[in-house]
Amino acid sequence: MTEFTPVASLIGGALIGLSAVLMMLLEGRIAGISGIAGHLLPPYRDGGFGGRLAFIIGLVAAPFLVAAVTGAPVVQTVSSNAALMAAAGVLVGFGSVWGGGCTSGHGVCGIARLSPRSFVATGVFMATGFITVFIVRHVFARHVIGG
Amino acid sequence: MSLLVNLGLGLLFGVGLVISGMSDPAKVLNFLDLFGSFDPSLAFVMGGAVVVAFFGFRLAWARPAPLLAPRFQVPKRTDIDVRLIIGPALFGIGWGLGGFCPGPAFTALGLLAPGTLVFVPAMLVGMGAARMLAERTD
């Protein structure tokens, strides 16, 4: 089980939204992580490499900032099944770039823009996510992690 | 300037992910486990983010241009094509297997869990493959 954290999740979500708004206001771009990370790889079409890398470094640094301010380490439970995580990684990476966005680009920014494409994409990845967890945990009755 | 701005924006985004609990795959998988150990937190994260972005974007777009770039670059397409189904369908399967989507995977990277150290390189391989394939088919 994990604890239901409505207040912390709402505050954290608002900070994610604020980052997306500031990205639009300052850079005029969508804060979509799969787009930012995917364009760190070739082919390169614009001069945005440095900015994208800086954004990703900011993401990587975030848990250390939170831990330093709160004094508590960031707790997480990650599966150590290497084959599972390799398959999951390839699917997430390929699927998010192939579909033009992930939870941030489609799920947050796209929904906020009322983009029909993002409503469809978000519905599809939520559906296959629910189905996958259902199959893993209830059909095969395997608790991968954290259940 | 742009580098510092982007670093700050990534940091803010990542702090939001960590505070919201989304950097923990267990919380994400429990959100997706409707018929088991369901944890609705992720809906509150998306709700908070979408509401802020909905109003914030409209305030930003009231300006003629962004503050640090010549123009707004917002996707204009509205067609629903096969890629828009296949891509998110595969993404959702991977998300349901590992509990990571791209943002949380990067916030987890420095915490060096063995599963993360497999997931992130695999994700980059998948992203690179999709970009190469898109290059050939576009």
Side-chain angles (χ1 to χ4, degrees):
Chain A
M1 296 295 285
T2 50
E3 191 192 348
F4 174 41
T5 53
V7 176
S9 289
L10 204 55
I11 292 169
L15 294 179
I16 293 168
L18 181 63
S19 173
V21 169
L22 291 174
M23 178 68 89
M24 185 59 70
L25 178 67
L26 296 168
E27 303 277 1
R29 288 192 285 115
I30 297 289
I33 311 301
S34 59
I36 292 170
H39 283 82
L40 287 178
L41 305 163
Y44 301 114
R45 291 245 169 63
D46 60 18
F49 184 87
R52 293 187 178 104
L53 185 62
F55 186 94
I56 297 293
I57 291 171
L59 278 183
V60 174
F64 300 100
L65 178 65
V66 173
V69 170
T70 63
V74 174
V75 178
Q76 53 165 212
T77 316
V78 183
S79 168
S80 50
N81 182 331
L84 177 94
M85 293 308 276
V90 170
L91 286 165
V92 165
F94 184 89
S96 60
V97 168
W98 195 245
C102 54
T103 345
S104 49
H106 280 311
V108 173
C109 296
I111 300 273
R113 293 190 302 113
L114 305 179
S115 154
R117 283 173 58 83
S118 293
F119 276 98
V120 169
T122 305
V124 171
F125 71 66
M126 284 283 176
T128 58
F130 283 124
I131 292 167
T132 301
V133 170
F134 183 80
I135 291 173
V136 169
R137 288 192 174 176
H138 303 293
V139 177
F140 292 112
R142 263 194 66 192
H143 268 214
V144 176
I145 57 163
Chain B
M1 176 68 183
S2 175
L3 289 183
L4 271 181
V5 166
N6 278 281
L7 182 72
L9 292 177
L11 200 55
L12 179 61
F13 199 108
V15 167
L17 284 171
V18 172
I19 289 178
S20 68
M22 294 302 104
S23 55
D24 183 1
K27 256 182 114 55
V28 173
L29 291 175
N30 283 341
F31 171 77
L32 294 173
D33 193 3
L34 276 182
F35 302 101
S37 47
F38 183 55
D39 175 351
S41 301
L42 187 145
F44 284 69
V45 182
M46 277 190 74
V50 166
V51 168
V52 170
F54 178 86
F55 292 105
F57 281 173
R58 278 149 187 83
L59 286 175
W61 293 332
R63 298 181 44 85
L67 295 173
L68 302 176
R71 70 191 71 83
F72 290 109
Q73 295 178 48
V74 177
K76 291 186 180 67
R77 285 178 64 179
T78 54
D79 61 304
I80 310 298
D81 61 341
V82 180
R83 268 175 71 167
L84 191 69
I85 307 297
I86 302 283
L90 295 176
F91 164 54
I93 294 171
W95 194 38
L97 287 177
F100 273 138
C101 52
F106 283 115
T107 64
L109 189 59
L111 304 175
L112 302 177
T116 310
L117 297 182
V118 173
F119 184 94
V120 171
M123 177 177 82
L124 291 172
V125 167
M127 287 176 164
R131 290 215 55 214
M132 273 170 51
L133 193 59
E135 230 10 59
R136 289 192 191 171
T137 51
D138 282 349

